[in-house]
Amino acid sequence: MSVGALLNGLLVSVVAALLWKYSKLSEHAALLEEELHMTRQSQELSQARIDYHVALQALQDHGTRMVCTGKMHTDRICRFDYLCYSSEAEEFVFFHSNSSVMLPNLGSRRFQPALLDLSSVEDHNTQYFNFLELPAAALKFMPKPVFVPDVTLILNRFNPDNLMHVFHDDLLPVFYTMKQYSDLDDEARLVFMEGWSEGPHFDLYRLLSSKQPLLKEQLRNFGKLMCFTKSYVGLSKMTTWYQYGFVQPQGPKANILVSGNEIRQFARALMEKMNTTRAEEDDYIVVFSRSTTRLILNEAELIMALAQEFQMRVVTVSLEEQSFPSIVQVISGAAMLVSMHGAQLITSLFLPRGAAVMELFPFAVNPEQYTPYKTLASLPGMDLHYISWRNTKEENTITHPDRPWEQGGIVHLEKEEQQRILASKDVPRHLCCRNPEWLFRIYQDTLVDIPSFLEVLKEGMKTKPSLKKSKPASTVHPGRVREPQCQTSVQNTNEAKLTVSWQIPWNLKYLKVREVKYEVWIQEQGENTYMPYILPQQNYTFSENIKPFTTYLVWVRCIFNKNLLGPFSAVQHLL
């Protein structure tokens, strides 16, 4: 081989090596540029700093991790590390690696019907949450993820256009879900996945966090694959008190777990976030004015009658014409709130203790069948007095059959069905949410019959308890009875006596309690039944049905004021 050919070969090799190195450097630079771009996108979401390479490596190495609380999808809330969302598929993605954690690992039961409810509305099939699963290795073939460094709470708003739903289904559950987890603080970000736009009450959602909430439609603006570094998914249902009639006609929940005390704490916190101070309590009445549907046709006459009857100032408020904080401030000092049935009555949770709520119902609508605000007012610790009035005069109502169906119109129905609805004097119980007879009647305008209105109101106010009298002497539960003991005496082979004694609960001496009794259960060992007793004293001798040479299990607990029960103390005794 000639020297020229050798030099030429070496030159080609050097050039090739340089080109290869340049290519690798360019590729590395492109990766760095892409990483920088993705980091910038993450920074757009949050002021929190994130090391993109570290986050990506953690996702690739460890995958997604999930730990949930709750036994069923209806009470489950899950915490995730690196839960991702594909805006192309509109699906959440769980990436599996050897280090992934999934508790509970339900297998196919995760789809029966879902992992959890995204909304506080229980078991509604439009609110279910689940995720797709992929191996972490699939990340190599997917769009580069954008990481959300904030702690996030991912949920569905149920109906953000309706103020009752905003408070009952969203704000209260979000507020107390955030209280459950220390890292869901004011810096946490809310992510709404139901697909609604902001809606008219979005400023109320903004009060729950210092960071702007994210809507589902906004997620695609940040990238095709978003990964939430730490997120909680789902809402607590502990604060809800009403069900809307999806399975059975609407009414109070069977097992209400919230009291007025928790709702009042929430109301106080919300007022602080709105920079709204509670009004000086005064003798004035608030009338809610509606401007489009379900009108009070003689509102001015009603206001005059209230002012004359109660010798109080009467103030009107309107959601259409006033800011929400200003309405809350007025309501927070009122002695009475008067309103047609409607979502605006949820503002009664801002009323002071001892105030009255007067709810008006259109013709043919039975107040006993629609009770979200009656239930709210009746919660222990809410301390509101509820009264309802119903228009019983058909001539005092104006219907709107020509309106769209969602505002009570019925012209789209068959003539026979229209006639049936027009002839009906009482809306029958029904399921949610499109019953045409209910919609037709609830959207009526009403000329309030002043004499019957005042009669119902005055009669209702007669039963309004004094706040001091209505407040129970004790709202705390008794502790365990102390030092439970059994003593026995055998009279003969067929007769015996069992004496049970105990000391009062430790907390009793610090409480002013009207009435104290004790519940005793006696069960023969091996039997399924027991003998219950309610006793006024701290010791008692039992002889009836007590057998010698028999082992008995005995439980004792204290009862305050008829319904505040303490835990059982147990003792076993052999006769």
Side-chain angles (χ1 to χ4, degrees):
M1 181 181 294
S2 68
V3 174
L6 181 62
L7 289 173
N8 190 51
L10 285 171
L11 182 61
V12 169
S13 297
V14 169
V15 170
L18 288 171
L19 286 172
W20 181 85
K21 190 169 185 179
Y22 176 77
S23 172
K24 286 297 180 184
L25 285 171
S26 298
E27 185 179 328
H28 183 62
L31 285 171
L32 288 174
E33 180 64 30
E34 185 177 19
E35 188 174 297
L36 181 62
H37 174 67
M38 305 311 287
T39 303
R40 283 173 182 158
Q41 282 192 289
S42 295
Q43 299 304 106
E44 287 177 23
L45 284 169
S46 172
Q47 295 303 311
R49 299 229 166 242
I50 188 167
D51 186 318
Y52 185 84
H53 177 72
V54 170
L56 182 60
Q57 197 67 46
L59 176 58
Q60 290 171 335
D61 292 347
H62 303 295
T64 307
R65 281 153 283 169
M66 174 190 91
V67 178
C68 303
T69 59
K71 294 182 179 179
M72 301 290 293
H73 69 282
T74 52
D75 66 349
R76 189 170 285 139
I77 296 175
C78 295
R79 175 190 155 157
F80 289 87
D81 293 334
Y82 294 102
L83 175 68
C84 298
Y85 178 76
S86 167
S87 56
E88 285 183 308
E90 294 192 348
E91 295 275 8
F92 283 95
V93 183
F94 186 107
F95 285 103
H96 283 278
S97 77
N98 291 333
S99 301
S100 291
V101 174
M102 185 187 288
L103 285 174
N105 198 328
L106 300 173
S108 61
R109 287 178 295 155
R110 183 158 61 82
F111 309 105
Q112 299 172 354
L115 177 64
L116 55 82
D117 295 334
L118 269 175
S119 163
S120 68
V121 177
E122 187 165 309
D123 212 11
H124 193 292
N125 60 9
T126 66
Q127 309 298 317
Y128 291 154
F129 169 83
N130 247 315
F131 49 74
L132 295 174
E133 297 172 74
L134 284 173
L139 284 161
K140 296 177 182 177
F141 310 102
M142 299 181 72
K144 289 287 185 184
V146 173
F147 291 97
V148 182
D150 305 316
V151 179
T152 55
L153 177 59
I154 298 170
L155 65 137
N156 276 4
R157 297 173 296 168
F158 189 69
N159 182 358
D161 289 345
N162 181 288
L163 196 62
M164 161 67 184
H165 289 292
V166 168
F167 272 88
H168 179 263
D169 306 330
D170 302 340
L171 298 181
L172 258 165
V174 169
F175 180 81
Y176 278 107
T177 300
M178 294 175 78
K179 294 292 184 189
Q180 284 183 248
Y181 304 98
S182 59
D183 47 355
L184 280 176
D185 53 22
D186 287 346
E187 296 295 310
R189 192 184 294 276
L190 303 178
V191 181
F192 303 136
M193 294 303 301
E194 78 291 323
W196 292 74
S197 60
E198 287 189 355
H201 309 294
F202 202 65
D203 283 346
L204 293 174
Y205 295 96
R206 288 191 178 102
L207 297 174
L208 298 176
S209 168
S210 61
K211 295 182 177 173
Q212 175 76 0
L214 286 177
L215 303 176
K216 181 181 179 181
E217 64 187 34
Q218 294 171 324
L219 299 187
R220 65 179 70 251
N221 298 332
F222 296 103
K224 294 182 178 180
L225 186 65
M226 290 188 66
C227 294
F228 301 92
T229 53
K230 183 186 289 185
S231 60
Y232 293 84
V233 181
L235 283 181
S236 168
K237 299 178 175 64
M238 288 188 292
T239 60
T240 56
W241 65 84
Y242 206 72
Q243 58 84 20
Y244 301 122
F246 299 115
V247 178
Q248 58 186 2
Q250 66 169 276
K253 286 179 67 176
N255 184 23
I256 297 175
L257 300 176
V258 68
S259 78
N261 294 320
E262 287 74 43
I263 291 173
R264 288 193 173 279
Q265 285 186 39
F266 160 77
R268 189 160 50 247
L270 215 61
M271 288 182 68
E272 288 175 4
K273 290 175 182 291
M274 288 188 289
N275 294 318
T276 301
T277 55
R278 188 169 288 279
E280 291 286 332
E281 291 191 27
D282 195 3
D283 288 338
Y284 65 88
I285 298 169
V286 173
V287 173
F288 239 115
S289 181
R290 295 173 63 99
S291 62
T292 54
T293 61
R294 211 173 306 147
L295 305 178
I296 299 175
L297 296 170
N298 55 339
E299 187 177 285
E301 186 184 356
L302 179 73
I303 290 169
M304 289 286 292
L306 283 167
Q308 290 174 2
E309 181 63 38
F310 292 95
Q311 294 298 298
M312 288 187 187
R313 183 164 57 100
V314 180
V315 180
T316 60
V317 292
S318 167
L319 287 173
E320 292 84 4
E321 298 175 7
Q322 293 168 256
S323 71
F324 191 77
S326 69
I327 291 173
V328 167
Q329 184 163 34
V330 172
I331 288 175
S332 69
M336 183 188 302
L337 177 62
V338 178
S339 174
M340 288 297 294
H341 173 80
Q344 71 280 352
L345 268 167
I346 193 63
T347 56
S348 59
L349 60 83
F350 294 102
L351 283 167
R353 295 182 190 275
V357 181
M358 179 69 164
E359 183 174 11
L360 315 183
F361 286 85
F363 177 77
V365 179
N366 185 346
E368 293 305 312
Q369 295 178 11
Y370 311 98
T371 61
Y373 312 112
K374 179 181 180 180
T375 305
L376 170 62
S378 305
L379 293 177
M382 205 64 215
D383 296 321
L384 296 176
H385 185 61
Y386 177 87
I387 307 164
S388 65
W389 174 86
R390 175 184 182 180
N391 177 25
T392 58
K393 298 183 177 181
E394 192 168 7
E395 64 271 20
N396 283 359
T397 192
I398 293 180
T399 60
H400 300 280
D402 297 327
R403 282 182 176 170
W405 71 266
E406 65 272 15
Q407 292 183 15
I410 56 172
V411 291
H412 63 288
L413 301 173
E414 297 289 338
K415 288 290 184 184
E416 201 174 296
E417 178 66 1
Q418 292 184 44
Q419 292 302 317
R420 185 196 67 76
I421 290 173
L422 290 168
S424 173
K425 309 299 182 190
D426 208 347
V427 177
R429 291 181 71 81
H430 56 89
L431 296 180
C432 189
C433 297
R434 299 190 175 196
N435 183 284
E437 187 170 347
W438 149 252
L439 292 169
F440 175 70
R441 291 302 185 185
I442 199 59
Y443 278 106
Q444 297 169 115
D445 299 330
T446 301
L447 185 74
V448 175
D449 179 65
I450 300 299
S452 71
F453 168 81
L454 290 177
E455 183 182 351
V456 169
L457 182 52
K458 287 188 290 184
E459 197 62 32
M461 292 299 283
K462 286 180 184 176
T463 62
K464 181 177 182 285
S466 158
L467 186 57
K468 288 183 180 178
K469 289 181 182 177
S470 68
K471 195 170 183 180
S474 173
T475 55
V476 298
H477 289 261
R480 293 180 183 275
V481 300
R482 296 174 298 152
E483 302 174 24
Q485 295 180 356
C486 291
Q487 293 181 336
T488 59
S489 61
V490 177
Q491 310 301 309
N492 53 53
T493 55
N494 297 319
E495 213 179 321
K497 291 183 179 180
L498 173 63
T499 299
V500 183
S501 62
W502 55 88
Q503 298 299 313
I504 66 171
W506 178 81
N507 61 340
L508 181 56
K509 62 183 177 181
Y510 298 102
L511 303 173
K512 293 180 180 179
V513 180
R514 292 196 307 268
E515 183 181 17
V516 178
K517 290 190 176 180
Y518 298 93
E519 186 173 7
V520 179
W521 292 4
I522 300 177
Q523 182 182 36
E524 184 179 336
Q525 191 172 50
E527 296 294 324
N528 293 324
T529 59
Y530 59 86
M531 297 176 286
Y533 302 87
I534 300 292
L535 305 172
Q537 67 267 33
Q538 291 166 239
N539 61 77
Y540 194 83
T541 300
F542 302 90
S543 57
E544 188 176 352
N545 297 321
I546 300 297
K547 298 182 288 189
F549 314 115
T550 305
T551 299
Y552 287 96
L553 305 175
V554 181
W555 291 269
V556 185
R557 69 176 169 186
C558 184
I559 305 173
F560 286 176
N561 303 332
K562 297 183 180 178
N563 59 359
L564 293 171
L565 304 176
F568 273 114
S569 290
V571 61
Q572 177 176 305
H573 199 77
L574 172 64
L575 279 174

